[in-house]
Amino acid sequence: MASEPSSPADNDSCEGDDLEDVDSGGEETESAGSGSARKRVSARTVLTGRGVTMAMLLSDGILEPGDACLSIDYLGQKFVGDLLPNGKIKWQGSNRVFNSPSAWAIHCKKMVNPSKKSGCGWASVKYKGKKLDIYKTIWFRKQRGANAPAGKSEEAKAPAKPKALSLSGSFRVKQDVKERPSVKHASLGSRDPDQDPNTLVEYSHFSALGKMQPFTMSITTNCLLLMDFHCHLTTSEVVGYLGGKWDPASQHLSILQAFPCRCRLGDKDNAIVVEEEIRQGMMLRGLSLVGWYHSHPHCQADPSLRDVDCQMEYQVAMKGLGATYQPCVGFIVAPFHLTEPIVESTIQAFWVMPPPEHKPHEYGMPMSMNFTAIQDSYLTQDVVNEMKWVSDYYCGAPDFLFFKEPWHQDKTFLEKVKGSLAKKLPKDQVSGQLLDFVQSLLITQQGHEKQSAR
């Protein structure tokens, strides 16, 4: 996840807005074409983000021109516009042409609210359903990296997003995983390039080492519910982020919300947009990135050597220094047990103990982390929305589960999912309304999928 600050979606100010927008009536004015836009990129623009235009994003391939690809939602009103090849915006409501997002946004908002005097177009205008400031941040990162002197990149100066906390990183879906034993950490020895990175490693426990867990943890049932639901949808490995808060005084980590990644692992094209959208979602809710989760759909919830190395990288990237220290934890969800018909998923939290300084070539030791599940009072709209979106994302894919099919004896996969989720319901859902919603959601998706196949 990125660390650059960005304006919340509902803010009316936008520090990094177009310099073109100083002329708030920026309609019908000439804008530089994509070629000249590239020439105008200065070091100041790259470092501050000011002066970025739509033409620059078009020139660098971040955006593409198109009809009805821009929209504004304001006080119940929706405005739709076309993105022209020169970076201008043509409003479909009157065929007027605007030079920049803010010029168009303030014009539309004044129609609804005449007292409106200013606004941030990049936070108000959406491109294909996602806010423009997401794409502006993507452009900013690329330019910053391209303009940084060798050996003095911005990422080297300040802690950027954790290297391995990336959908385009080293995760891979392994479809042919079969039941296999986990090995003890002590049997691994020094790193061996011939060692299978999918080797599963047993967890070690702090008590067995005569140590205390370095910090306490709690996680909300809404968070566990969404993680479990996400991991049940597909036979492929999935991943998501965890938002929460760290209290340095009490050394307690509160994990409050899950953010499923609606993106295939290793999909570099979509990963950066998905991660930026999640980063902004965390910021809007006042949360920090505190961890990640992924599924083991074909094996137990013990971490692989790849998982151990990734978690170690996350911890190093996020730990900070002194008073800024913040831990990072990983969760592994194993929704299906290969040898026993257990309804509830296994959800295991882990942290990696670094190898001793005198044995730097050994693998880190995966440590089992105890956590407390805090039952939420009510189901949030965020959870409902995410359940809809993530099921929509996987619907129709070849690895989407057929929930009407038998799971074990006379029980279907749908009954298995509902049984696992039933252990994580908030207080206002104990009567089962959410489980009815899950059934309706998954069976409806399955019905749509079959109709599409005909």
Side-chain angles (χ1 to χ4, degrees):
M1 304 288 286
S3 58
E4 295 92 17
S6 178
S7 299
D10 294 329
N11 273 7
D12 285 334
S13 62
C14 188
E15 182 179 351
D17 210 355
D18 292 357
L19 293 183
E20 295 177 81
D21 297 336
V22 172
D23 177 10
S24 60
E27 312 161 26
E28 313 292 350
T29 59
E30 291 298 323
S31 140
S34 60
S36 57
R38 182 180 292 278
K39 293 178 183 178
R40 291 205 313 266
V41 178
S42 64
R44 180 177 180 275
T45 296
V46 171
L47 290 174
T48 67
R50 298 192 64 86
V52 179
T53 66
M54 298 283 278
M56 292 178 185
L57 271 61
L58 286 168
S59 175
D60 285 329
I62 304 297
L63 305 178
E64 294 180 353
D67 296 340
C69 61
L70 299 175
S71 62
I72 296 173
D73 295 291
Y74 182 65
L75 298 181
Q77 300 293 316
K78 184 169 185 176
F79 304 88
V80 178
D82 305 333
L83 178 56
L84 304 181
N86 61 2
K88 294 181 182 181
I89 299 170
K90 182 180 179 182
W91 177 32
Q92 292 189 345
S94 67
N95 287 328
R96 298 178 71 175
V97 176
F98 294 84
N99 192 56
S100 65
S102 288
W104 182 44
I106 193 61
H107 178 85
C108 294
K109 290 181 178 182
K110 279 185 175 180
M111 295 180 62
V112 180
N113 179 14
S115 64
K116 189 74 174 173
K117 295 182 179 180
S118 64
C120 175
W122 294 88
S124 302
V125 179
K126 295 180 180 178
Y127 172 76
K128 295 183 177 180
K130 293 183 173 65
K131 294 184 183 297
L132 276 178
D133 53 6
I134 292 176
Y135 298 95
K136 185 177 181 180
T137 301
I138 294 171
W139 179 92
F140 178 76
R141 285 189 198 153
K142 289 185 175 181
Q143 293 295 322
R144 184 180 62 180
N147 284 268
K152 295 184 179 180
S153 66
E154 288 294 310
E155 293 183 4
K157 294 178 182 178
K161 70 177 180 181
K163 177 182 176 183
L165 279 184
S166 171
L167 299 178
S168 56
S170 58
F171 292 113
R172 292 292 182 272
V173 178
K174 190 171 178 61
Q175 298 284 9
D176 60 345
V177 176
K178 298 179 180 179
E179 183 182 3
R180 59 191 189 275
S182 299
V183 303
K184 294 185 179 297
H185 178 268
S187 70
L188 293 172
S190 297
R191 290 179 178 274
D192 182 349
D194 295 326
Q195 178 75 57
D196 181 3
N198 292 306
T199 299
L200 299 180
V201 186
E202 290 183 4
Y203 292 103
S204 298
H205 298 270
F206 288 101
S207 58
L209 301 177
K211 298 178 179 291
M212 293 183 62
Q213 186 169 303
F215 52 90
T216 56
M217 293 169 47
S218 62
I219 185 169
T220 64
T221 50
N222 278 342
C223 188
L224 292 169
L225 178 79
L226 185 53
M227 290 165 55
D228 199 15
F229 178 79
H230 184 197
C231 295
H232 269 100
L233 295 179
T234 170
T235 58
S236 297
E237 187 173 325
V238 303
V239 67
Y241 292 111
L242 299 172
K245 297 182 178 181
W246 166 246
D247 184 351
S250 63
Q251 295 288 288
H252 182 79
L253 186 67
S254 301
I255 304 172
L256 304 174
Q257 187 163 339
F259 293 82
C261 293
R262 296 188 297 278
C263 183
R264 291 291 180 174
L265 303 179
D267 183 353
K268 296 182 179 180
D269 293 336
N270 293 317
I272 192 168
V273 175
V274 171
E275 290 190 336
E276 178 61 21
E277 194 172 39
I278 291 176
R279 184 189 71 84
Q280 292 203 10
M282 286 191 187
M283 286 183 61
L284 288 171
R285 293 161 180 79
L287 303 177
S288 299
L289 174 64
V290 297
W292 64 300
Y293 70 90
H294 72 287
S295 65
H296 277 189
H298 301 284
C299 62
Q300 60 267 38
D302 288 343
S304 66
L305 289 177
R306 179 184 287 115
D307 295 335
V308 171
D309 283 345
C310 287
Q311 174 63 25
M312 190 71 253
E313 289 183 21
Y314 305 165
Q315 291 174 196
V316 171
M318 292 180 61
K319 68 177 183 178
L321 297 172
T324 65
Y325 170 80
Q326 177 176 308
C328 171
V329 295
F331 278 77
I332 299 177
V333 182
F336 303 110
H337 297 260
L338 300 180
T339 58
E340 298 179 71
I342 301 175
V343 172
E344 189 171 6
S345 302
T346 298
I347 300 181
Q348 176 68 53
F350 75 107
W351 184 82
V352 175
M353 183 178 294
E357 291 185 4
H358 64 284
K359 296 181 179 180
H361 300 297
E362 289 190 352
Y363 291 96
M365 184 183 295
M367 307 299 298
S368 175
M369 295 290 288
N370 295 323
F371 61 89
T372 302
I374 306 297
Q375 186 178 23
D376 287 285
S377 297
Y378 58 89
L379 183 70
T380 65
Q381 190 61 44
D382 280 340
V383 173
V384 174
N385 290 341
E386 288 287 358
M387 293 176 79
K388 290 179 181 177
W389 295 335
V390 77
S391 59
D392 283 345
Y393 178 78
Y394 289 104
C395 178
D399 53 356
F400 189 58
L401 273 182
F402 286 91
F403 292 95
K404 288 185 176 180
E405 289 187 350
W407 164 66
H408 178 73
Q409 294 182 351
D410 59 342
K411 286 186 178 294
T412 63
F413 279 101
L414 176 64
E415 291 174 296
K416 193 275 181 206
V417 174
K418 292 170 62 177
S420 186
L421 298 182
K423 306 290 186 178
K424 306 167 184 69
L425 296 177
K427 294 177 182 178
D428 70 337
Q429 296 294 322
V430 291
S431 60
Q433 306 100 306
L434 178 62
L435 299 182
D436 293 338
F437 167 75
V438 168
Q439 176 168 333
S440 174
L441 185 64
L442 296 180
I443 297 304
T444 300
Q445 294 284 20
Q446 212 83 73
H448 289 166
E449 181 181 351
K450 289 185 177 180
Q451 288 179 4
S452 300
R454 290 175 181 172

